[in-house]
Amino acid sequence: MSIKIALAGNPNCGKTTLFNNLTGSNQYVGNWPGVTVEKKEGKLKGDKDVIIQDLPGIYSLSPYTLEEVVSRTYLVKEKPDAILNIIDGTNIERNLYLTTQLIELGIPVVMAVNMIDLVRKNGDKIDLKKLSSELGCQAVEISALKGEGTEAAAKAAVAAAQKQKAGELPHVFTGSVEHAIAHIEESIQGKVDDRFLRWYAVKLFERDEKVVEELKLDKALADHIDEHIKDCEKEMDDDAESIITNQRYSYINGVVDKAVKKKARVEHLTASDKIDQIVTNRVLALPIFALVMFLMYSLSMGTSIADGGWAIGTFATDWTNDVLFGEIVPGALGGFLESIGVAGWLYGLIMDGIVAGVGAVLGFVPQMLVLFFLLSILEDVGYMSRVAFIMDRIFRRFGLSGKSFIPVLVGTGCGVPGVMASRTIENERDRRMTIMTTCFIPCGAKMPIIGLIAGAMFGGSSLVAVSAYFIGMAAIICSGVILKKTKLFAGDPAPFVMELPAYHVPAWGNVFRATWERGWSFIKRAGSVILAATVVLWFLQGFGFENGAFGMVEDQDNSVLAAIATKIAWIFAPLGFGNWRATVASVSGLIAKENVVGTFGVLYHFGGELSENGDEIWAAVAQDYTALSAYAFMIFNLLCAPCFAAMGAIKREMNNGKWTAIAIGYMCALAYCAALVVYQIGGLITGEVGFNFFTIVAIVIFAAFLYLMFRPNKYVGDNEVKIDVSKIK
């Protein structure tokens, strides 16, 4: 029979490092059922019967964030065989708060006092025997980063689990509970069993039928307990949470006084404090951040080494697109298919559908791996938490958390990693809103569209690209203001409380593992979506009725896609581009945004190879558009649903079909409304558009937008984080 050991601890306590140390490559990453919070499981090295479960980092078992709900639900309902509680030895007082709660669950707990090497370096001493005696559970010392004591900690947890299963581990109800709820216990002594006392510390505010049902308590007894709790609150002139929290910390301070001896310190700034004086300075913080991001993007998505730059990611991506999937794979596979004489349609499916689809996905992977690698370094050294702190002051004014800025910034390179970066946002509402708005910022794949419109209609003016970024950022900010006034996203951003960990040299094993996990997740999830979509679009573009028969067509004007696009082109007529070519280009942009220019090249019958911004077809495009209608076309394609790869990432991060549909629907609706307002009202001003029904619609939309932006927020102060615990199984 397998043994389940849960790793629990505060954020930045070294839990992930310990997990990687204990499991090595015997691990897999997934999502908790019903939620987007990542879960990791692995088998203990050398013992396949021991499963290590890495819980989200939490400060307490109070259900305020999704991570805390996930961890509490797992510990209370799933009940692992033992808990290995990782404690930061350099900040033991704060870490022991969670420890006391874990002990009260009645599950065997082994404390792993981490960073013991730093404790010794600081001249401090931790008496493990006294610590164990005071808390009633075994304590061991480890250094997860150096691998010191980790194997012994795992063995101690396994031994505790085995003793519990054999009935050899006596039930220990520690003094912390008695101390914490002494005043309440005096009133109900003898009227409730230990199960309620343990549960009370975990589920403080849920004094309702759920508690009665889950604990199988008599309703009258539960009511009696509740009365005494309220009487205690009245007597102490305080709420029960504060009473228990104060008593718990009082108990912890007593334990620390007995078990921990700290060396007297001369007051001076640490190395981290000195660095923070510069990187979080009110004046210097943003320029330094801009420089760091510039360097990161220059390395991953800037000018390729082959073109005189230093972007490793771009060089690798260019090689993947131009050589691997441009020459090697098509040449080898195409030659093989021709040698065995496959049918024309099958050849087209494999080469133009499957290979092209896989290439479209894998072509971006090198850039993303470099970007993920650099982001992982910044996260591991502790800089990204400072960035969120810096940006929170700005983003909070628009209803977003400081952590929302990171996905937006990453999204300027590619929407896929931008969406995936939203998982660092703890608050469920803020995370969903960030996912819905991140792809408004123009990514690298949208630059060819901007270049085409600027070159064909505006003489190559750089102001078009500048305006595109302003429009994207305005869409994000305005969405934040408007959505925060709706019931779905009601309330101010969650209180931004973040521990700023000390700077340290990155653990390269963690960096490489995080890079690989993010990259592989993209390949598996987004890749499957874009591959299927590419095959479907290949069929629609390649088949149709020609010469009175259905089959593969030589002229795409006769394809099924052209026929469908012609029927729905009227939808875009009020936006100024109601022709089937623009419709097909917009649809192909759902596969990859850079496909828009390539599709125009095919549809305008250009026989050669297009440059990136399609300057060979500028004259032909200019004949079908005015400057205003072309600008509306650009706005629609910049703001509407992103490419299939990004939509796949949205589905993964939302982990909910309804919310995925809401996100994509919102982006499409906003894009349509923005393009409609620009073309109809702009055309009315310039005289290009006469007053018509859609002009009235545009004016109404613009008026509604102003109302939604400036109306009073009736949800001000509604900051409760609403999490449906019943759906987390």
Side-chain angles (χ1 to χ4, degrees):
M1 181 180 290
S2 62
I3 293 176
K4 288 188 177 182
I5 307 295
L7 301 185
N10 291 181
N12 302 311
C13 69
K15 184 167 52 63
T16 299
T17 303
L18 176 61
F19 174 75
N20 294 335
N21 187 292
L22 294 177
T23 60
S25 60
N26 303 317
Q27 58 183 263
Y28 68 88
V29 179
N31 276 354
W32 294 90
V35 290
T36 58
V37 178
E38 215 170 58
K39 76 169 181 178
K40 295 181 181 179
E41 276 188 4
K43 294 181 179 179
L44 182 64
K45 287 189 292 187
D47 193 341
K48 295 182 178 180
D49 290 331
V50 178
I51 297 174
I52 307 294
Q53 179 78 66
D54 186 16
L55 299 182
I58 57 173
Y59 291 106
S60 74
L61 294 181
S62 303
Y64 295 126
T65 69
L66 190 58
E67 282 83 354
E68 289 172 338
V69 170
V70 166
S71 294
R72 188 198 66 178
T73 302
Y74 177 81
L75 292 171
V76 173
K77 292 188 175 181
E78 299 297 324
K79 289 195 177 296
D81 298 305
I83 298 172
L84 187 55
N85 174 215
I86 298 86
I87 294 171
D88 178 357
T90 63
N91 197 351
I92 195 166
E93 294 93 337
R94 189 249 296 151
N95 281 244
L96 286 179
Y97 188 90
L98 175 64
T99 304
T100 59
Q101 290 184 316
L102 295 176
I103 293 171
E104 291 154 12
L105 294 173
I107 300 171
V109 175
V110 172
M111 289 183 293
V113 182
N114 193 21
M115 306 183 193
I116 197 66
D117 52 328
L118 297 181
V119 173
R120 295 174 189 143
K121 185 178 178 180
N122 293 336
D124 300 336
K125 293 183 179 180
I126 299 177
D127 190 327
L128 296 179
K129 289 185 178 180
K130 285 186 179 179
L131 190 63
S132 300
S133 175
E134 290 295 320
L135 290 170
C137 66
Q138 184 178 357
V140 296
E141 59 182 33
I142 67 168
S143 173
L145 190 61
K146 296 184 177 181
E148 178 186 340
T150 56
E151 186 177 345
K155 287 182 178 179
V158 172
Q162 290 172 336
K163 287 183 179 180
Q164 176 81 341
K165 285 189 173 185
E168 299 174 6
L169 193 66
H171 170 66
V172 179
F173 207 64
T174 67
S176 60
V177 176
E178 296 170 1
H179 196 181
I181 58 176
H183 300 285
I184 298 173
E185 190 180 3
E186 287 174 2
S187 301
I188 61 175
Q189 191 66 41
K191 298 186 181 297
V192 63
D193 63 12
D194 286 348
R195 289 177 303 163
F196 182 78
L197 294 178
R198 294 195 303 270
W199 185 263
Y200 182 79
V202 179
K203 213 169 180 183
L204 185 63
F205 296 115
E206 297 181 13
R207 297 183 299 226
D208 54 20
E209 293 180 1
K210 284 185 180 180
V211 175
V212 177
E213 180 182 346
E214 291 177 6
L215 295 176
K216 296 182 174 58
L217 290 176
D218 178 77
K219 182 67 166 63
L221 176 58
D223 291 340
H224 181 67
I225 293 169
D226 196 54
E227 283 180 25
H228 283 288
I229 291 173
K230 292 176 181 177
D231 289 342
C232 179
E233 291 177 329
K234 189 178 295 184
E235 178 186 337
M236 298 291 293
D237 192 24
D238 206 347
D239 61 274
E241 180 188 29
S242 297
I243 295 171
I244 291 181
T245 300
N246 291 335
Q247 294 294 331
R248 194 185 294 280
Y249 272 119
S250 175
Y251 171 75
I252 290 170
N253 290 334
V255 171
V256 172
D257 287 342
K258 294 178 182 178
V260 182
K261 300 299 179 185
K262 293 191 175 183
K263 181 181 177 181
R265 287 176 172 74
V266 178
E267 292 297 327
H268 66 276
L269 293 176
T270 64
S272 290
D273 293 333
K274 292 177 182 178
I275 296 173
D276 280 340
Q277 282 186 325
I278 300 173
V279 300
T280 63
N281 181 276
R282 297 183 72 89
V283 177
L284 298 176
L286 287 178
I288 291 173
F289 173 60
L291 177 61
V292 170
M293 292 299 106
F294 171 77
L295 294 174
M296 186 176 71
Y297 276 99
S298 295
L299 276 170
S300 59
M301 297 183 176
T303 304
S304 171
I305 296 174
D307 297 324
W310 65 329
I312 303 170
T314 303
F315 175 78
T317 286
D318 289 345
W319 183 88
T320 303
N321 284 327
D322 300 338
V323 180
L324 182 61
F325 285 100
E327 299 174 5
I328 298 176
V329 173
L333 186 58
F336 171 73
L337 293 176
E338 289 176 356
S339 67
I340 62 176
V342 298
W345 68 268
L346 182 57
Y347 182 91
L349 171 62
I350 295 174
M351 298 302 298
D352 300 329
I354 297 175
V355 173
V358 172
V361 177
L362 299 185
F364 291 105
V365 169
Q367 282 183 324
M368 279 189 284
L369 287 178
V370 174
L371 184 63
F372 288 152
F373 176 73
L374 297 175
L375 280 173
S376 297
I377 293 176
L378 294 179
E379 290 172 354
D380 205 62
V381 300
Y383 180 67
M384 293 309 277
S385 59
R386 271 79 178 176
V387 173
F389 167 75
I390 293 165
M391 296 308 301
D392 184 65
R393 288 177 297 187
I394 300 173
F395 265 49
R396 186 166 293 276
R397 297 176 183 272
F398 307 110
L400 293 168
S401 164
K403 288 190 175 182
S404 299
F405 179 73
I406 304 300
V408 172
L409 181 72
V410 175
T412 59
C414 178
V416 175
V419 171
M420 292 170 67
S422 65
R423 65 180 51 176
T424 62
I425 303 172
E426 294 89 351
N427 185 287
E428 186 177 22
R429 298 171 305 181
D430 293 349
R431 180 170 59 247
R432 284 174 172 169
M433 187 164 67
T434 302
I435 293 171
M436 290 173 64
T437 57
T438 292
C439 291
F440 287 145
I441 202 74
C443 64
K446 295 176 182 177
M447 293 309 295
I449 304 175
I450 298 172
L452 172 67
I453 300 303
M457 308 304 304
F458 296 94
S461 174
S462 60
L463 292 178
V464 176
V466 174
S467 70
Y469 278 94
F470 273 109
I471 289 170
M473 187 56 70
I476 293 171
I477 291 173
C478 292
S479 293
V481 174
I482 291 173
L483 292 176
K484 273 296 180 180
K485 296 178 182 179
T486 65
K487 190 173 182 179
L488 285 175
F489 302 96
D492 298 331
F496 190 73
V497 180
M498 173 179 281
E499 177 187 6
L500 298 181
Y503 291 102
H504 60 84
V505 176
W508 295 109
N510 292 344
V511 170
F512 285 114
R513 186 174 282 107
T515 302
W516 169 249
E517 286 176 355
R518 290 173 174 174
W520 181 239
S521 175
F522 162 71
I523 294 171
K524 285 193 302 182
R525 302 283 183 169
S528 59
V529 175
I530 194 172
L531 176 60
T534 304
V535 171
V536 172
L537 194 61
W538 165 83
F539 174 79
L540 295 177
Q541 282 182 322
F543 285 80
F545 288 93
E546 200 169 56
N547 299 323
F550 182 82
M552 295 190 72
V553 296
E554 296 182 3
D555 187 349
Q556 287 196 351
D557 290 4
N558 299 322
S559 67
V560 174
L561 184 61
I564 296 174
T566 302
K567 298 294 184 183
I568 64 174
W570 62 271
I571 297 174
F572 300 104
L575 279 58
F577 50 92
N579 61 76
W580 79 267
R581 289 185 177 86
T583 303
V584 171
S586 298
V587 171
S588 69
L590 296 178
I591 296 177
K593 288 299 179 182
E594 60 267 38
N595 280 356
V596 171
V597 176
T599 301
F600 269 142
V602 174
L603 299 180
Y604 282 97
H605 304 290
F606 180 75
E609 183 176 348
L610 280 177
S611 60
E612 186 179 68
N613 62 355
D615 53 6
E616 296 87 351
I617 60 170
W618 284 359
V621 172
Q623 293 178 1
D624 286 348
Y625 298 87
T626 64
L628 191 59
S629 65
Y631 197 73
F633 174 81
M634 183 188 75
I635 289 176
F636 178 81
N637 280 278
L638 294 183
L639 299 182
C640 76
C643 64
F644 279 122
M647 281 192 269
I650 290 173
K651 184 178 185 301
R652 165 167 164 71
E653 296 307 313
M654 287 291 193
N655 202 27
N656 181 293
K658 183 185 77 172
W659 274 103
T660 302
I662 290 174
I664 295 173
Y666 177 77
M667 286 185 270
C668 290
L670 181 65
Y672 191 92
C673 290
L676 179 69
V677 169
V678 167
Y679 181 71
Q680 291 294 332
I681 297 181
L684 191 65
I685 295 172
T686 61
E688 182 177 323
V689 176
F691 193 83
N692 61 81
F693 171 75
F694 290 105
T695 308
I696 299 174
V697 173
I699 293 173
V700 171
I701 290 174
F702 186 65
F705 165 75
L706 294 177
Y707 168 73
L708 292 173
M709 281 289 295
F710 298 105
R711 68 169 176 159
N713 186 359
K714 66 179 181 179
Y715 296 106
V716 170
D718 181 12
N719 296 322
E720 179 187 358
V721 180
K722 302 176 177 65
I723 301 174
D724 190 351
V725 183
S726 64
K727 292 184 179 180
I728 302 177
K729 300 177 180 177

